[in-house]
Amino acid sequence: MSMKPWLIGALAFSVAALVVPVHAQTVSEKGMANVEYTGWSLGAPERQNALRKAEANALERYIADSNAAKSRIFEAQRDRITAHIDDYILGTTVLTENQDKQAKTYSVVIRADINSTRLMNDLGTGSASASDIAASGRGTMTFLFLARNQSSVQSFDDKVYKRTDVDNSMSRSTNEGESVQAHDVSTTDSMQQHTSDATTTGGSVTRKADKVDWSVTNAGEVDTAMTGVFSDAGYDVVEADQVEGASGGLVNIANIRDAYSHGNDLPSTVMYNTTQGVQRAGIGYFALGTLDVGMPDRDPVSGNMRVFVTVTGKVFNVQGRFARTLASIGPVQYAGLGPDASVARTNALKEAASQAAHQMVDELSNKGIH
């Protein structure tokens, strides 16, 4: 039995609707430029020059929305990128253009379709290849980023202190009089007292910060996202569990998890032992941080559930006697959407982990570490 054409079309549309890319490879961005020209009229070379400048401006605007480290990389490679701008601009649409014949200027506003995947990959490419990194051993990295949810919040009442000062003052007046009648002299003496009270009130209110305890877990989506970014950047990634086993007992993930359940920093002893243990395991770089998951709410635009994740972390060089901080990120927030809170949380963790890893790679690249 043959299927009706309208049913085939409906099924095809349904299947196509289910195929949604996780990360868009093409983005649209506005660009603008203004050029001067000579001669009696605007020629094709001037128009083309303005178009090229507008495309470069679109790339710059796009990069400006990323992290600061990526912007610095773009600035350092601007000449190379603009010289091969056709590799990154897939198409251009002129939105508005204006020619001022009296001032002999030409301005244009465009919308450019940018191959973001290729641009970001090229900006992340360093002078050393992945094979060179692996051969030298300097690109060996491990990381431990823990997801945290608030398990309890202890709030404290305000401590109120009040003070009242009373100033008592007294004034005294005396009247004396004398009268003479015939041969008798009489005197009178009267005294009046006045008192007044001046009252001054004041005080202070002391507020104590909430005590927050966290439920700390390892998130598989975080490990997967970060491992992919670090590996694509040329680092030889070693799982934290394996590093713990090769650290001679210095790296204790359970202790780290417990410390992060009560605060935002590791005790100095735990931090020192951890970095020394990573070094003993033969690892050159160590990334450590947290991803704090917020309470779900409703996205006002899409109507889906929304979860925010706040990520904070650092990258350490542990190859010397003491660990040195190479890069710091956060606290910065990322949001994830989903039909329910669980899906939104997973999407938020994946986005936060990926973006945090990209920023760390960019910061290391700026320092000449590849």
Side-chain angles (χ1 to χ4, degrees):
M1 182 177 63
S2 61
M3 188 174 293
K4 295 183 180 297
W6 64 267
L7 183 56
I8 295 175
L11 289 174
F13 176 79
S14 300
V15 173
L18 293 175
V19 182
V20 180
V22 177
H23 298 287
Q25 295 182 348
T26 303
V27 295
S28 295
E29 186 66 66
K30 282 186 178 181
M32 59 184 64
N34 185 71
V35 297
E36 297 180 352
Y37 64 91
T38 58
W40 293 101
S41 61
L42 178 68
E46 288 82 4
R47 288 180 181 272
Q48 186 65 21
N49 182 34
L51 187 62
R52 290 297 189 188
K53 287 186 175 181
E55 290 174 342
N57 181 254
L59 290 181
E60 186 174 359
R61 287 171 177 267
Y62 171 65
I63 293 296
D65 291 333
S66 61
N67 58 68
K70 187 70 73 176
S71 296
R72 289 193 292 269
I73 296 174
F74 177 78
E75 287 298 324
Q77 302 186 34
R78 178 190 292 271
D79 292 341
R80 179 182 67 81
I81 296 295
T82 54
H84 301 85
I85 200 166
D86 289 336
D87 294 340
Y88 310 105
I89 301 297
L90 302 178
T92 301
T93 302
V94 176
L95 301 179
T96 61
E97 56 182 337
N98 180 58
Q99 179 183 356
D100 188 336
K101 295 183 179 180
Q102 184 174 0
K104 291 189 175 182
T105 59
Y106 172 72
S107 59
V108 62
V109 178
I110 66 166
R111 180 174 297 280
D113 296 327
I114 302 173
N115 186 338
S116 60
T117 302
R118 181 166 185 174
L119 176 62
M120 290 302 181
N121 286 340
D122 287 357
L123 287 178
T125 302
S127 58
S129 65
S131 58
D132 293 337
I133 297 167
S136 65
R138 295 185 59 202
T140 307
M141 171 181 283
T142 190
F143 65 89
L144 183 61
F145 271 72
L146 301 172
R148 306 194 302 177
N149 294 81
Q150 289 185 359
S151 60
S152 66
V153 179
Q154 182 180 6
S155 299
F156 300 90
D157 293 336
D158 294 344
K159 182 179 180 181
V160 181
Y161 169 74
K162 293 184 178 180
R163 185 189 74 253
T164 302
D165 298 328
V166 179
D167 181 17
N168 295 318
S169 61
M170 180 178 68
S171 63
R172 176 179 179 182
S173 62
T174 304
N175 296 322
E176 295 183 356
E178 182 180 339
S179 62
V180 179
Q181 294 181 353
H183 299 288
D184 298 326
V185 178
S186 62
T187 62
T188 62
D189 187 1
S190 64
M191 183 178 68
Q192 296 179 338
Q193 291 183 345
H194 302 280
T195 62
S196 62
D197 296 334
T199 303
T200 302
T201 61
S204 62
V205 177
T206 302
R207 295 183 175 89
K208 189 174 180 179
D210 294 343
K211 181 181 178 181
V212 180
D213 286 333
W214 301 86
S215 174
V216 183
T217 60
N218 287 0
E221 55 268 24
V222 172
D223 293 343
T224 302
M226 286 193 161
T227 299
V229 174
F230 288 133
S231 297
D232 290 344
Y235 290 95
D236 184 12
V237 181
V238 180
E239 296 291 338
D241 292 340
Q242 298 186 47
V243 176
E244 181 181 31
S247 68
L250 292 175
V251 176
N252 190 316
I253 296 178
N255 287 346
I256 297 173
R257 186 184 296 111
D258 180 69
Y260 275 131
S261 67
H262 302 294
N264 296 321
D265 297 301
L266 294 183
S268 57
T269 303
V270 175
M271 187 66 197
Y272 178 77
N273 288 340
T274 301
T275 54
Q276 291 297 304
V278 172
Q279 182 193 58
R280 176 176 292 187
I283 308 298
Y285 302 101
F286 174 48
L288 177 69
T290 58
L291 299 100
D292 297 340
V293 182
M295 298 298 294
D297 63 0
R298 187 72 64 177
D299 179 53
V301 177
S302 65
N304 288 327
M305 295 302 296
R306 179 179 61 182
V307 172
F308 284 96
V309 170
T310 303
V311 58
T312 306
K314 291 182 178 181
V315 182
F316 301 94
N317 182 346
V318 297
Q319 298 175 85
R321 180 180 179 185
F322 299 105
R324 292 175 291 126
T325 301
L326 296 177
S328 298
I329 60 169
V332 61
Q333 282 190 336
Y334 299 96
L337 300 177
D340 55 49
S342 177
V343 176
R345 177 184 182 275
T346 298
N347 291 336
L349 283 173
K350 289 169 60 178
E351 179 68 14
S354 177
Q355 293 297 333
H358 277 295
Q359 185 170 344
M360 286 185 283
V361 167
D362 292 340
E363 292 288 354
L364 294 176
S365 179
N366 278 333
K367 295 180 181 294
I369 301 171
H370 304 288

